[in-house]
Amino acid sequence: MKANELKNAFESAFDLVALIDSHSYARAAQKKHKDIPEIPYETMVVLGLAYPKRMIKHTKTHLVPSFYTFGKDYHQVLGERIEKVMHDLPFAYTYGVDNHPHDERLAATLSGLGYFAKNQLIISKTYGSYFFLAIVFIDFKLDRQIVLEANEDCGSCTKCIEACPTHALSEEGYDINRCISAFNQSKKPLTEFEMNKNYILFGCDICQMVCPKNINKGTKVHPEFELNGKEMVSITDLFSDSDREFKHKYQDMSYLWKGKTILMRNALLLLKKQKNTAYNDLIEQSLTKTSAPWYLDNAVQILEILKKEKKMS
């Protein structure tokens, strides 16, 4: 099999496909990260699968995560597509979708899939930043080394930097400790600053939505990413269901990967913003059902605020 035939096989299931030899990636990764884990095979297939931009608003009864979580969990979707392609190929392989120690964004940049933008995402000419990444490590030898540097960048544009509510982005780089998506997925008590800046149940979409490269992008919908009714999360379910009940009800959604308690904590922040006191009793009950200290710290604080709000109303 030739490299173009391997590429064609993956193009039957993915929107973006590029090949890079592992040695070239390893040299670049060592310069950036110094110590990198062993790479299992000689060739890396870097893959992208587009997802759509769809906006849904919070209500008084349901809350909404980032739109990249809409539809079936992308980890499962990309994994299933990879396995289907590899089923018909005579090569040993392994793969990763987020959950592996290699730098997907570096591999995507080196292979020419897109360029690394100021919002820390990979920008493709065709799909903007609205696509998921995966890497397949495959026992296949390329006939030549392939390393393509992206010939595009953000230029002087600073729209994502200006739009970031917490100033996590700058011309100098990225401060993960200030990133909304990072701290609303973290198992720690949030500061008052973080609680006030959070606006969503899980993740963050701001730096993508303001990006000029995303204009008229985010329109392609694969069957797995069709809306399935679980994009809006019931506040009652969050605070009433057991972990098992909730996971069964909202199974195959990528916002579940950090667990229900993270969503409960973030729901508290949104209830505070809404001045929504309808769930005070359920929040109070959660204090005896949930043992995570980082949850209890914020829950006690916010419940007190919501109780005062109810008295004033």
Side-chain angles (χ1 to χ4, degrees), residues 153-184:
D153 58 37
C154 295
S156 61
C157 178
T158 57
K159 288 187 181 296
C160 63
I161 293 172
E162 294 160 8
C164 180
T166 57
H167 308 294
L169 301 173
S170 70
E171 290 282 11
E172 287 69 48
Y174 167 63
D175 184 352
I176 191 172
N177 295 314
R178 299 183 71 88
C179 176
I180 290 175
S181 183
F183 66 64
N184 75 17

Side-chain angles (χ1 to χ4, degrees), residues 16 105-117 121-125 128 131 148-152:
L16 298 168
R105 289 175 293 181
L106 175 61
T109 302
L110 292 172
S111 65
L113 219 63
Y115 76 89
F116 185 70
L121 301 172
I122 299 299
I123 303 287
S124 151
K125 286 184 178 180
F131 64 97
L148 302 172
E149 292 288 351
N151 58 5
E152 192 176 0

Side-chain angles (χ1 to χ4, degrees), residues 155-250:
S156 61
C157 178
T158 57
K159 288 187 181 296
C160 63
I161 293 172
E162 294 160 8
C164 180
T166 57
H167 308 294
L169 301 173
S170 70
E171 290 282 11
E172 287 69 48
Y174 167 63
D175 184 352
I176 191 172
N177 295 314
R178 299 183 71 88
C179 176
I180 290 175
S181 183
F183 66 64
N184 75 17
Q185 296 182 49
S186 65
K187 295 180 178 181
K188 67 168 190 175
L190 299 187
T191 65
E192 185 174 355
F193 173 83
E194 291 167 336
M195 288 193 290
N196 290 337
K197 291 297 184 181
N198 187 68
Y199 70 98
I200 197 166
L201 188 63
F202 187 89
C204 183
D205 294 317
I206 293 171
C207 65
Q208 293 202 89
M209 292 192 295
V210 301
C211 178
K213 300 290 186 179
N214 279 334
I215 294 173
N216 298 324
K217 303 294 194 299
T219 58
K220 188 167 187 177
V221 186
H222 290 287
E224 300 98 321
F225 300 140
E226 293 283 0
L227 297 179
N228 58 24
K230 294 183 279 192
E231 294 74 29
M232 300 186 73
V233 179
S234 161
I235 301 170
T236 299
D237 289 348
L238 262 178
F239 289 101
S240 297
D241 288 359
S242 67
D243 283 351
R244 179 178 292 183
E245 290 169 336
F246 189 82
K247 287 176 182 176
H248 177 73
K249 195 175 290 183
Y250 293 90

Side-chain angles (χ1 to χ4, degrees), residues 239 277-287 303 307 310:
F239 289 101
T277 63
Y279 301 92
N280 285 10
D281 290 344
L282 288 179
I283 297 169
E284 187 138 29
Q285 291 171 26
S286 76
L287 300 180
L303 180 59
K307 282 181 176 179
K310 189 169 186 178

